[in-house]
Amino acid sequence: MQKMTEAIWVDELEQLAVDTTTAMLAAVGWVPPPTAHFLCAELPRLPYVGYLRTRPFYRGEDAHRAIAGLGWMASIAQASRLVLVWEQADLSVALERPSPLPSGLVVVDVPRDGEHEVRWHPMDVIETGATPDGLPTAVPEWGLRQRIPGGRLPESVVDLVALWREERTWSDVRELADLYLTMVEDGYEPGWLGRPEPDHELPRWRRVVAELPGTVFEIQESA
């Protein structure tokens, strides 16, 4: 069985983002909210630890703060690599920043140090009907994917990355737990992967999160 390295996980998460967007458009005509996926090199057996979807937000400055705030969870998780996902037209409306790009899925591979890579998936959205509740349904027609090293990022995403990369030591367990719970209460949606490692081999942040009320591990992996 091929070992799932960070690089392979990035490719898998990219395909997952495409599949999820296709499924949501078909079901309810929506696209997924901006999402950050976390990889941790200190967990070599399974470097993917989970994801965080942004909280609900208003257009403009609140959207900027909500998206940049994903960087706090990246810091808590001590991520060595991020995979950031959003839909370009949807984000441009949310940030009130007109975009020269058409509709499309953006997947960004961001290492802890060094240059990021933008993976651009242009799409045309074709309406197909509506659900019994009146929600529109659609299918995307995907264009040719492009890989753009160092591609331009929205200011909110630049702030997200800067927040994550800032040197920070979570010396106080209560500080870490309080910030995590506050983010969940604000509406951020985490999803954590079950771990094959024994508890004592997991980093402290992971043990702290596991003990907090309401924490759910969505996928259980066998050793």
Side-chain angles (χ1 to χ4, degrees):
M1 182 176 177
Q2 185 182 29
K3 181 180 178 180
M4 290 289 284
T5 62
E6 280 193 355
I8 294 173
W9 269 108
V10 172
D11 294 339
E12 291 285 326
L13 293 169
E14 178 183 14
Q15 186 59 52
L16 176 63
V18 172
D19 294 344
T20 301
T21 300
T22 299
M24 285 192 65
L25 283 170
V28 293
W30 300 342
V31 294
T35 301
H37 295 272
F38 312 123
L39 296 160
C40 294
E42 67 176 305
L43 297 169
R45 295 175 62 190
L46 186 61
Y48 181 62
V49 296
Y51 65 85
L52 184 70
R53 296 190 181 114
T54 191
R55 64 168 172 79
F57 50 73
Y58 297 103
R59 292 183 184 180
E61 184 59 30
D62 188 54
H64 178 107
R65 290 194 301 269
I67 294 163
L70 293 168
W72 282 116
M73 194 69 79
S75 178
I76 289 174
Q78 299 174 327
S80 59
R81 195 166 188 161
L82 301 184
V83 177
L84 307 175
V85 181
W86 67 86
E87 199 285 314
Q88 179 63 30
D90 188 62
L91 186 65
S92 296
V93 170
L95 296 175
E96 298 182 333
R97 298 286 192 272
S99 171
L101 296 175
S103 295
L105 191 68
V106 182
V107 180
V108 188
D109 175 18
V110 192
R112 182 77 189 190
D113 300 298
E115 186 175 63
H116 65 272
E117 179 184 70
V118 173
R119 302 183 181 189
W120 166 241
H121 296 258
M123 67 177 178
D124 290 323
V125 179
I126 310 300
E127 291 190 13
T128 57
T131 68
D133 295 330
L135 297 173
T137 57
V139 297
E141 291 188 352
W142 297 102
L144 183 65
R145 182 189 73 162
Q146 300 177 47
R147 298 176 67 152
I148 310 166
R152 184 176 179 181
L153 302 176
E155 183 180 354
S156 57
V157 176
V158 172
D159 289 349
L160 184 168
V161 173
L163 180 60
W164 162 52
R165 285 176 169 171
E166 182 180 342
E167 290 295 331
R168 186 178 293 105
T169 301
W170 297 96
S171 57
D172 186 333
V173 171
R174 177 46 52 189
E175 178 190 19
L176 187 158
D178 285 349
L179 176 57
Y180 180 90
L181 289 173
T182 296
M183 294 187 71
V184 172
E185 290 170 1
D186 285 346
Y188 286 95
E189 297 180 25
W192 300 111
L193 197 68
R195 305 298 311 180
E197 293 92 348
D199 288 346
H200 69 274
E201 294 183 5
L202 296 175
R204 184 182 63 168
W205 73 266
R206 187 61 166 63
R207 299 195 300 271
V208 171
V209 167
E211 294 175 359
L212 295 176
T215 298
V216 175
F217 297 104
E218 297 191 340
I219 305 173
Q220 295 296 324
E221 292 284 342
S222 59

